[in-house]
Amino acid sequence: MSPVASFDDMAWTDSTCPVARTLDLVGDRWSLLIVRDAMDGARSFTDFQQRTGVARNILTDRLRRLVDRGLLERETATSGRRQVYVLTDAGRDLFTVIVAMRQWGERHAFAEHETHSVLVDESGLQLARLCPTDSHGDPADVGSTTVLRDIRDI
Amino acid sequence: MSPVASFDDMAWTDSTCPVARTLDLVGDRWSLLIVRDAMDGARSFTDFQQRTGVARNILTDRLRRLVDRGLLERETATSGRRQVYVLTDAGRDLFTVIVAMRQWGERHAFAEHETHSVLVDESGLQLARLCPTDSHGDPADVGSTTVLRDIRDI
C-alpha cells in the first residue's frame, strides 16, 4: 500500500524500520490521544481540547501535523460554520495500535482496585485479546521472532 | 494483573483510560525505540546508543524512566563489569504494541519502491496480520466498537 501523504519532508529517525517510521508519524502522546478521541467521536477543535485537556497551541500543532501526514482530513461541518477533523483510512487503521495499547494498559498500568474505561463490541462485551501469531497461526513473541534488516534478505 | 511498578508518582493525563496510561508510560518515540531494540537484543547503554542514535543524555533519562516504570530491569553483565538492561515481563508484553506499529508502518509509511526491515518467525516468514476481533471472534473496528467510561457500566 502506498502512503497516503507525501513524506518527502520527513527526516526519519531510522528510515528502514516500520516501527520507527510509525513513531515518527504518530509517536507522541498527544497525537495518539487525538487519534483515540477521533475514533471515539471527537470531531471539532473544542471536542479534542475538552477530551485531551491539551494546551490549545499544542493541539493546533498536532492537528495540523496529523492532517499533513495523512491521518486526519479537514472537512466543513454540515452546518457549514466550522471545520471538523475526520480520520482518513490510514488514521482508522491505527485502531489496532490503539487496541494494543489499551490492552497493555489494562494488564499493566492499573492496580486491582482501580477502574478504567473499556472498549466494547456491539454485544457490549470486551474485544478478544490481541495475540501476535506467526505464519502458521501459532503464538509469536519476542523469543520466537527476529528482525531482518531488509526485506530482500528473505 | 497488578502493575509491576509503583505508579504513585505518576500524574496521569487521563487516569481512567488505559490507552492514555500506556502513552504516559511509554508514549514517546525514544522509549518505544529502546523497547524495540531491547526486543531485538540490545542490552548495554552503547547498544542502545548505537541503534537509536539518540543523544546520550536523553538515552540516560529514558533508560532510567523505563526502569522506574517497570519496563526494564538493570542487571550486571556476566562479565561483571558493566550494567545491562533487560526487559521485564511487562516490557516484553509490549511486543503486541510494537508489532501493531510495525504492521501499520509497513502498510502506510513506505512508498512502493522503498525497502524496510521485516519481523520474521522461526520459519523465516512474516507474522500474520494482527486483526482486532470482538467477543465472538468477528473482525472489530472503529465503527463496531464503543468506549464505556467505566468498567462498572458493563
Side-chain angles (χ1 to χ4, degrees), chain A residues 148-154, chain B residues 106 114-118 126:
Chain A
L148 301 182
R149 295 292 148 212
D150 190 314
I151 197 162
R152 286 170 299 205
D153 295 344
I154 293 189
Chain B
E106 289 173 354
E114 292 180 304
T115 57
H116 55 75
S117 68
V118 289
Q126 291 193 64

Side-chain angles (χ1 to χ4, degrees), chain A residues 7-142:
Chain A
F7 296 140
D8 292 346
D9 64 334
M10 290 292 296
W12 301 113
T13 303
D14 179 353
S15 74
T16 62
C17 175
V19 181
R21 283 205 184 193
T22 299
L23 288 167
D24 284 339
L25 290 169
V26 294
D28 72 285
R29 185 174 50 163
W30 296 119
S31 294
L32 282 169
L33 287 180
I34 290 166
V35 168
R36 172 201 68 169
D37 290 336
M39 289 180 178
D40 194 31
R43 291 165 58 86
S44 68
F45 187 92
T46 309
D47 288 342
F48 290 110
Q49 220 271 313
Q50 287 173 350
R51 295 191 194 207
T52 56
V54 60
R56 297 176 67 87
N57 60 331
I58 296 179
L59 180 57
T60 302
D61 174 75
R62 293 304 191 282
L63 287 170
R64 185 189 48 72
R65 226 199 264 177
L66 288 167
V67 169
D68 288 349
R69 295 175 179 179
L71 285 304
L72 289 176
E73 269 171 343
R74 263 192 213 94
E75 285 182 9
T76 304
T78 41
S79 70
R81 274 194 243 147
R82 53 174 199 173
Q83 290 216 307
V84 293
Y85 296 87
V86 180
L87 288 166
T88 62
D89 289 344
R92 290 169 68 89
D93 195 29
L94 281 169
F95 185 66
T96 311
V97 171
I98 297 286
V99 171
M101 289 195 157
R102 166 175 283 284
Q103 295 186 342
W104 186 90
E106 290 173 354
R107 291 198 289 274
H108 300 289
F110 288 83
E112 296 287 352
H113 65 279
E114 291 180 304
T115 57
H116 55 75
S117 68
V118 288
L119 183 72
V120 297
D121 62 21
E122 288 162 334
S123 309
L125 298 169
Q126 293 194 63
L127 304 199
R129 177 170 171 169
L130 271 174
C131 291
T133 51
D134 68 16
S135 60
H136 306 290
D138 295 322
D141 63 18
V142 178

Side-chain angles (χ1 to χ4, degrees), chain B residues 84-100:
Chain B
V84 294
Y85 297 87
V86 179
L87 289 165
T88 62
D89 288 345
R92 289 168 69 92
D93 196 30
L94 281 169
F95 186 67
T96 311
V97 171
I98 297 285
V99 170

Side-chain angles (χ1 to χ4, degrees), chain B residues 54-134:
Chain B
V54 61
R56 297 175 67 89
N57 60 331
I58 297 178
L59 179 56
T60 301
D61 174 75
R62 293 305 190 282
L63 286 171
R64 185 188 48 71
R65 227 199 263 177
L66 288 168
V67 170
D68 287 349
R69 295 176 180 179
L71 285 305
L72 289 178
E73 270 171 342
R74 266 193 211 93
E75 286 181 7
T76 304
T78 40
S79 70
R81 275 194 242 147
R82 53 174 199 174
Q83 290 218 305
V84 294
Y85 297 87
V86 179
L87 289 165
T88 62
D89 288 345
R92 289 168 69 92
D93 196 30
L94 281 169
F95 186 67
T96 311
V97 171
I98 297 285
V99 170
M101 290 197 156
R102 166 175 283 283
Q103 294 186 342
W104 186 90
E106 289 173 354
R107 291 197 288 275
H108 300 289
F110 288 83
E112 296 287 353
H113 65 280
E114 292 180 304
T115 57
H116 55 75
S117 68
V118 289
L119 183 71
V120 297
D121 62 21
E122 286 161 333
S123 309
L125 298 169
Q126 291 193 64
L127 303 200
R129 178 170 170 167
L130 271 174
C131 290
T133 51
D134 68 16

